[in-house]
Amino acid sequence: MDSTILLVVAGVVGLIIGFAIAKMMEKGKAAKTISGAKKEASDIVKEAKKEGENIKKDKIFQAKEKFLELKAEHEKVIINKDKKIAEAEKRTRDKESQISNELTKNKKLNDKLETRIKEVSYKSEILEKKQSEVEKLHKSQVQQLEVISGLSAEDAKSQLLESLKETAKTDAMAYLQSTLEEAKLTAQQEARKIVINTIQRIGTEEAVENCVSVFNLESDDVKGRIIGREGRNIRAIEAATGVEIIVDDTPEAIILSCFDSVRREVARLSLHRLVTDGRIHPARIEEIVKKTEKQINEEIAEIGKRTVIDLGIHGLHPELIKAVGRMKYRSSYGQNLLQHSREVAKLCGVMAAELGLNPKIAKRAGLLHDIGKVPNTEVEVETPHAILGMQWAQKYGEKKEVCNAIGAHHDEIEMTTLISPIVQVCDAISGARPGARRQVLDSYIQRLKDLEDIAFGFNGVQKAYAIQAGRELRVIVESEKVSDDKAAELSFEISQKIQTDMTYPGQVKVTVIRETRSVNVAK
């Protein structure tokens, strides 16, 4: 027991002694480390000072080199400036010497000029003296002649002029008479020859257009779908296109009736799309009609481009090209207006070439002579088509010859160029072909247009369509501007206006349609 305690005490004492020894050794190592770090720090400071001195010396050396370079460049600049100044001084000295030489030459020339002036003045004095002597001699000779002839100089001059005038007038009248006789003998033959040759070289087909198109159907079942429930589809088509749709007992066909060929074509293409698609209802009808109208407008522009390319006409304004395309859907006394204008253009080109004139300008005037028959707005209808066409041509930069030919082909204005009578003659040739025109159709179409124009003259009218061969006028009004009571009053006013301003067979029924729509979209 005692030995165990002694051993434990001895172990504890040993541990204490070992810990003390370890602490003393650790302090010694720390002192050595600190002294080493101080020495290393002093070495680094010395090295940094040494390196700083070296950098300082390098910078001073570089600064000296830069100063020397700048000094050398400055000296070069000064040398160049001195050289330029020397050259400028040399040029100045040369100019001064040149000016002095010029002054010397000018002095010599002035001396010569003064000498010449003196000589010329001396000679002019001599000439004046001689001229006065010649005038005296001439007067004395004239006086002697007057005494001998018994006439004064003025009387003799007047008698001579009278005799010369009479002789010249007689010769001129004889020449003019012979020329006129010869022209009368040959002009009629030559004119007939030119016109006959021109007509023989231009051959076109003639066809009289009507106001009705037939739309063929695959089966009679489609008729019911086109009519719709209680006729709503057919009413929507008629309201959107302005074309009267006649559904009768004709098998597998319906009839589209309208005096405007563009409306009939829009209605025909729209019906074709609707029947092909199978979805026929008012909303779809309006969508298809709008797309078809856009397609027709693009087709009109394309037709105009093809026409001017075929005729070799260049530089035509895009609006005039569209007007040419719209001619396809217009008629002149039953004759297709585009076909008529193409024919007139070709006739004008041939006839102008025969007469030695410019055939390109003649073709241009012949093609555009009837563009006034396809007005953009209803208010332009009242202007004569020749004047309206001339105004358009002037607006879109056509030449004076073309504008005058368009405006004068029906003698509304005076003809000022040779192209104008050619266009007038060719227009008459084209219209005089057998079966080319029909007066009744044109007057009928004009009556329908007049009906629609009367309706457009009232406020609030959005669309107006003459249907049933002019026996009915359907007027669509804006619901915001025209109330129900106002619609009845408007119908009466339009009927009274038609009764007082127009002459027509039978009676005309005026129907005013006012429609209110409320549209919402479910998303």
Side-chain angles (χ1 to χ4, degrees):
M1 181 83 178
D2 293 333
S3 60
T4 302
I5 292 171
L6 288 172
L7 287 173
V8 170
V9 171
V12 171
V13 171
L15 287 172
I16 292 170
I17 294 170
F19 181 74
I21 293 170
K23 281 288 183 180
M24 291 176 66
M25 291 178 68
E26 186 177 353
K27 286 182 179 180
K29 287 181 181 180
K32 288 181 180 180
T33 302
I34 290 169
S35 63
K38 288 181 178 179
K39 185 178 180 181
E40 186 176 356
S42 64
D43 293 338
I44 289 171
V45 170
K46 289 179 181 178
E47 187 69 25
K49 288 181 178 179
K50 187 176 180 181
E51 187 174 355
E53 291 292 333
N54 292 333
I55 290 171
K56 182 179 178 183
K57 290 178 181 179
D58 291 339
K59 291 295 181 182
I60 292 171
F61 181 72
Q62 289 176 2
K64 288 180 179 179
E65 287 183 348
K66 187 68 176 177
F67 173 75
L68 293 173
E69 289 178 0
L70 292 173
K71 184 179 179 182
E73 290 178 358
H74 184 65
E75 289 176 352
K76 286 181 181 179
V77 171
I78 292 171
I79 291 169
N80 289 331
K81 287 184 177 179
D82 293 339
K83 188 176 180 182
K84 289 180 180 179
I85 291 169
E87 291 176 354
E89 290 177 351
K90 184 179 178 183
R91 286 196 299 271
T92 305
R93 288 194 297 271
D94 294 339
K95 288 288 183 182
E96 288 177 353
S97 62
Q98 186 177 359
I99 290 169
S100 63
N101 293 331
E102 291 291 333
L103 289 173
T104 305
K105 289 180 181 179
N106 288 334
K107 188 176 180 181
K108 291 180 180 179
L109 289 173
N110 287 330
D111 295 339
K112 288 182 180 180
L113 183 61
E114 290 177 358
T115 305
R116 294 294 298 275
I117 289 170
K118 290 179 181 179
E119 292 176 356
V120 169
S121 61
Y122 177 71
K123 288 181 180 180
S124 64
E125 290 176 359
I126 294 172
L127 285 173
E128 286 177 357
K129 291 179 181 179
K130 289 183 178 181
Q131 187 175 0
S132 62
E133 293 175 359
V134 169
E135 288 178 354
K136 290 178 181 179
L137 290 172
H138 178 70
K139 288 180 180 179
S140 63
Q141 289 176 357
V142 169
Q143 289 174 358
Q144 290 176 3
L145 288 172
E146 288 177 353
V147 171
I148 293 169
S149 62
L151 294 172
S152 64
E154 293 295 330
D155 295 336
K157 189 187 293 183
S158 62
Q159 287 184 8
L160 179 60
L161 287 174
E162 288 295 330
S163 63
L164 289 174
K165 283 181 181 179
E166 291 296 330
T167 305
K169 188 182 293 184
T170 304
D171 294 341
M173 289 298 293
Y175 178 74
L176 181 61
Q177 190 67 26
S178 62
T179 304
L180 286 173
E181 293 295 332
E182 185 180 356
K184 287 179 181 179
L185 291 173
T186 58
Q188 192 170 6
Q189 294 178 356
E190 289 297 323
R192 285 179 179 175
K193 180 181 177 182
I194 290 173
V195 171
I196 291 170
N197 288 338
T198 303
I199 294 173
Q200 288 176 346
R201 290 175 63 180
I202 305 295
T204 57
E205 296 180 358
E206 304 299 338
V208 178
E209 297 182 348
N210 52 32
C211 296
V212 175
S213 296
V214 178
F215 182 74
N216 296 315
L217 304 172
E218 295 181 358
S219 64
D220 290 335
D221 296 337
V222 182
K223 286 184 180 180
R225 296 169 57 194
I226 292 174
I227 294 171
R229 184 181 299 173
E230 298 178 355
R232 64 173 186 172
N233 290 344
I234 199 169
R235 285 198 302 272
I237 296 172
E238 289 179 345
T241 61
V243 175
E244 183 183 9
I245 301 177
I246 302 171
V247 181
D248 53 14
D249 295 335
T250 306
E252 298 181 357
I254 60 176
I255 297 173
L256 309 177
S257 176
C258 180
F259 72 93
D260 193 331
S261 303
V262 178
R263 295 180 191 170
R264 280 207 318 274
E265 186 67 11
V266 169
R268 188 185 67 81
L269 292 177
S270 301
L271 277 173
H272 178 72
R273 288 186 174 184
L274 290 168
V275 170
T276 304
D277 184 47
R279 293 176 293 170
I280 305 176
H281 52 83
R284 180 66 175 168
I285 288 168
E286 290 186 0
E287 179 185 353
I288 292 295
V289 169
K290 288 181 181 179
K291 289 182 179 179
T292 307
E293 287 176 349
K294 183 178 179 182
Q295 177 188 344
I296 289 294
N297 290 331
E298 293 174 354
E299 183 180 347
I300 285 171
E302 186 62 29
I303 290 168
K305 290 179 183 178
R306 287 202 303 268
T307 301
V308 296
I309 290 171
D310 291 343
L311 294 174
I313 296 172
H314 304 286
L316 204 63
H317 194 277
E319 290 298 326
L320 294 180
I321 292 177
K322 290 180 182 178
V324 171
R326 287 198 298 272
M327 289 182 184
K328 180 182 177 183
Y329 301 102
R330 293 291 186 275
S331 61
S332 176
Y333 298 99
Q335 184 182 20
N336 182 271
L337 193 56
L338 179 60
Q339 184 66 26
H340 166 65
S341 298
R342 287 174 64 101
E343 183 179 0
V344 171
K346 292 178 182 178
L347 288 168
C348 288
V350 175
M351 194 171 289
E354 291 285 343
L355 295 173
L357 301 175
N358 190 338
K360 292 185 178 180
I361 294 179
K363 275 187 179 182
R364 201 180 192 95
L367 178 64
L368 300 177
H369 81 284
D370 269 347
I371 56 172
K373 289 186 177 180
V374 285
N376 289 322
T377 59
E378 299 297 334
V379 295
E380 293 177 338
V381 175
E382 296 179 359
T383 307
H385 75 274
I387 302 299
L388 181 60
M390 181 183 69
Q391 292 172 356
W392 283 5
Q394 290 172 345
K395 178 181 178 182
Y396 297 120
E398 289 297 317
K399 294 183 179 179
K400 292 182 180 179
E401 298 94 327
V402 176
C403 297
N404 182 257
I406 295 171
H409 78 277
H410 284 314
D411 295 323
E412 273 89 359
I413 63 172
E414 183 182 356
M415 296 183 182
T416 58
T417 64
L418 292 175
I419 299 295
S420 301
I422 291 177
V423 172
Q424 188 180 48
V425 170
C426 294
D427 181 37
I429 291 171
S430 176
R433 292 184 185 275
R437 292 186 169 185
R438 190 172 67 199
Q439 179 73 30
V440 178
L441 177 64
D442 193 71
S443 61
Y444 163 69
I445 291 174
Q446 186 61 43
R447 182 164 62 85
L448 298 183
K449 284 185 176 180
D450 292 341
L451 274 175
E452 294 183 354
D453 292 341
I454 287 175
F456 280 115
F458 290 87
N459 292 328
V461 176
Q462 185 178 10
K463 295 179 182 179
Y465 302 120
I467 61 176
Q468 294 288 347
R471 292 189 297 273
E472 182 177 353
L473 179 65
R474 289 189 182 175
V475 182
I476 300 174
V477 297
E478 299 178 17
S479 58
E480 296 84 1
K481 296 181 179 180
V482 180
S483 62
D484 289 337
D485 296 336
K486 182 65 176 176
E489 183 181 346
L490 183 63
S491 175
F492 176 75
E493 291 176 357
I494 293 174
S495 64
Q496 293 300 309
K497 182 76 171 174
I498 293 171
Q499 186 173 341
T500 55
D501 292 358
M502 291 188 65
T503 302
Y504 51 91
Q507 56 186 8
V508 178
K509 178 183 177 182
V510 180
T511 304
V512 175
I513 301 171
R514 178 179 180 272
E515 182 181 18
T516 303
R517 294 188 184 185
S518 298
V519 180
N520 289 295
V521 180
K523 297 182 180 179

